[in-house]
Amino acid sequence: MELFYSRDIEGGICRLDHDESGHCIKVLRHRCGDEISVIDGCGTMYRCRITSDSHKGVEAVVLESTPDWGAHPYVLHLAVCPTKNNDRYEWFAEKACEMGFDRLSPIIGDHSERRILKTARVEKILVSAAKQSLKAAVPAVDEPVSVKDFIQNHADSTALKMIAYCFEDESVPRRSIKDVLGAYDGTEIIVMIGPEGDFSHEEAEMALAAGFIPVHLGASRLRTETAALTAAASVYYQHM
Amino acid sequence: MELFYSRDIEGGICRLDHDESGHCIKVLRHRCGDEISVIDGCGTMYRCRITSDSHKGVEAVVLESTPDWGAHPYVLHLAVCPTKNNDRYEWFAEKACEMGFDRLSPIIGDHSERRILKTARVEKILVSAAKQSLKAAVPAVDEPVSVKDFIQNHADSTALKMIAYCFEDESVPRRSIKDVLGAYDGTEIIVMIGPEGDFSHEEAEMALAAGFIPVHLGASRLRTETAALTAAASVYYQHM
């Protein structure tokens, strides 16, 4: 199924941006009168008929709209430290989007080697992944914040808050993410995943004080991006 | 933790091949008397002391061996059609290995666009992934076989056999992989994942006749490699 993406759908009129218009008219050779399907990135899919087939700016009239198209039964917010290798972060984001999640916060920890992330690239990847997996909602991507700011900003959140922390050479008791998810009957979930060097002791203490539950993701030692995807897969599986 | 890989451990003597020896001596600058940790790919980790530090062929004496090092509590055999893009297949293999699986069969379906796979490359990736995730067992990689041959070869298997098949425009009732795994109290599991174009109707019928249970991997439409990883993550989570 071929999907277009537009943030400009108003009053029954849908406009495609330059890139999407070029793809629609030049590549797929659509013309006035053709029907196309458009997602708004917020959860609604629109069936539209093209009324202006300029390859610079397609206009179409909305025939039908389907809210919650391809929606999942939970709200998952992943806060993940950027990986040294950008590709690994980008494929985690793509795969997590295919399964279903709602918001990505790149967080910078005391032990983070990579302290910047181009969110625009990740947003592009998430739009493609949402189209590919037939979802009308595209996960939001926040600008990077420090781990400590993220914890502070979510101290009052009533969501199920978890932090995947190794606590190597430490004795903080951890439950498995399966155990914690199984005991939760709400739908709002936040999971924090640390960098290659893990969270600092200070960050972990701060998270626990803010109500984050320390969890492990099973017996295997997982890379940052695999841990993040395992968290997404765990929530997806739990709600299957 | 730094790990080496050797298939040549016998009579208390461990030999590293040319590549591993070069890495050990030239890169990590180990010398006679140094202790190294070596996995045999079959599940045992050996603590050894170097007795010959040639960068072409390191020899070491075994001090201690730990069987089932980093083992997981199930036996997972994944039969996955190669993806059009090789990288996608390779990262699925890497990530599934980090979580834990035991055997990979590349299978070629009626609708497969890619009909070949370089197993040597995948094997190299699995060795690195096993080292990275601290597992002494490296998943076995079979030579590619046709989907139909694979089904025939496993018709008599008493493992829990599942086939992830869309059955689009078909009415075969499917259970979720979660439902099927939850009802199974054994440990041997086989999952078949089809190509971009899905299995053919004939292949699916043949699988069902051979005792494969038709399953879905949740509501999301997943790419082949994401479906394969979701299956691995499901088994990993179920046994967490």
Side-chain angles (χ1 to χ4, degrees), chain A residues 135 217 220 236-238, chain B residues 95 135 217 220 236-238:
Chain A
K135 300 177 193 301
L217 300 169
S220 294
Y236 178 68
Y237 184 81
Q238 186 64 38
Chain B
K95 298 313 166 194
K135 299 177 194 302
L217 300 169
S220 294
Y236 178 66
Y237 184 82
Q238 186 65 38

Side-chain angles (χ1 to χ4, degrees), chain A residues 88 91 94-95 98-99 132-133 135 178 217-218 220-221 223 225-226 229-230 236-238, chain B residues 88 91 94-95 98-99 132-133 135 178 217-218 220-221 223 225-226 229-230 234 236-238:
Chain A
R88 294 179 171 275
W91 84 240
E94 176 185 298
K95 297 314 169 195
E98 284 180 51
M99 292 178 190
Q132 200 278 334
S133 55
K135 300 177 193 301
K178 180 187 182 187
L217 300 169
S220 294
R221 180 177 111 167
R223 286 172 175 272
E225 73 277 7
T226 317
L229 194 66
T230 301
Y236 178 68
Y237 184 81
Q238 186 64 38
Chain B
R88 294 181 169 274
W91 84 240
E94 176 184 298
K95 298 313 166 194
E98 284 181 49
M99 293 178 190
Q132 199 278 333
S133 55
K135 299 177 194 302
K178 181 186 181 187
L217 300 169
S220 294
R221 179 177 111 167
R223 287 172 176 272
E225 73 278 9
T226 317
L229 194 65
T230 301
S234 299
Y236 178 66
Y237 184 82
Q238 186 65 38

Side-chain angles (χ1 to χ4, degrees), chain B residues 64-216:
Chain B
E64 187 189 14
S65 68
T66 312
D68 300 323
W69 191 71
H72 45 267
Y74 52 83
V75 182
L76 176 57
H77 182 173
L78 295 168
V80 183
C81 289
T83 49
K84 280 182 262 178
N85 173 333
N86 251 334
D87 296 352
R88 294 181 169 274
Y89 201 82
E90 290 172 2
W91 84 240
F92 134 69
E94 176 184 298
K95 298 313 166 194
C97 181
E98 284 181 49
M99 293 178 190
F101 82 111
D102 302 90
R103 186 172 169 190
L104 175 60
S105 297
I107 50 176
I108 311 301
D110 293 339
H111 299 166
S112 287
E113 291 192 33
R114 174 178 294 274
R115 310 190 71 82
I116 50 162
L117 183 84
K118 293 207 182 73
T119 54
R121 257 189 72 96
V122 178
E123 280 161 357
K124 256 185 189 271
I125 285 162
L126 291 175
V127 168
S128 317
K131 286 178 177 178
Q132 199 278 333
S133 55
L134 307 185
K135 299 177 194 302
V138 177
V141 182
D142 300 330
E143 283 306 309
V145 291
S146 75
V147 165
K148 286 166 184 167
D149 285 348
F150 182 84
I151 294 168
Q152 253 158 6
N153 299 342
H154 295 83
D156 300 334
S157 164
T158 58
L160 173 65
K161 298 180 289 189
M162 293 179 276
I163 176 170
Y165 178 47
C166 298
F167 291 99
E168 276 169 10
D169 16 283
E170 289 179 52
S171 58
V172 176
R174 295 179 306 161
R175 294 158 63 193
S176 72
I177 189 171
K178 181 186 181 187
D179 179 29
V180 173
L181 286 173
Y184 179 60
D185 57 7
T187 56
E188 291 213 6
I189 299 159
I190 302 175
V191 185
M192 285 176 70
I193 303 288
E196 279 84 354
D198 206 352
F199 292 107
S200 68
H201 178 77
E202 202 183 337
E203 289 167 337
E205 288 305 311
M206 193 176 162
L208 268 55
F212 281 80
I213 301 169
V215 295
H216 66 75

Side-chain angles (χ1 to χ4, degrees), chain B residues 6-15 46 48 51 59-65:
Chain B
S6 171
R7 286 286 195 184
D8 184 358
I9 305 174
E10 241 193 324
I13 301 299
C14 165
R15 292 176 187 81
Y46 297 82
C48 309
T51 51
E59 261 190 35
V61 58
V62 174
L63 305 174
E64 187 189 14
S65 68

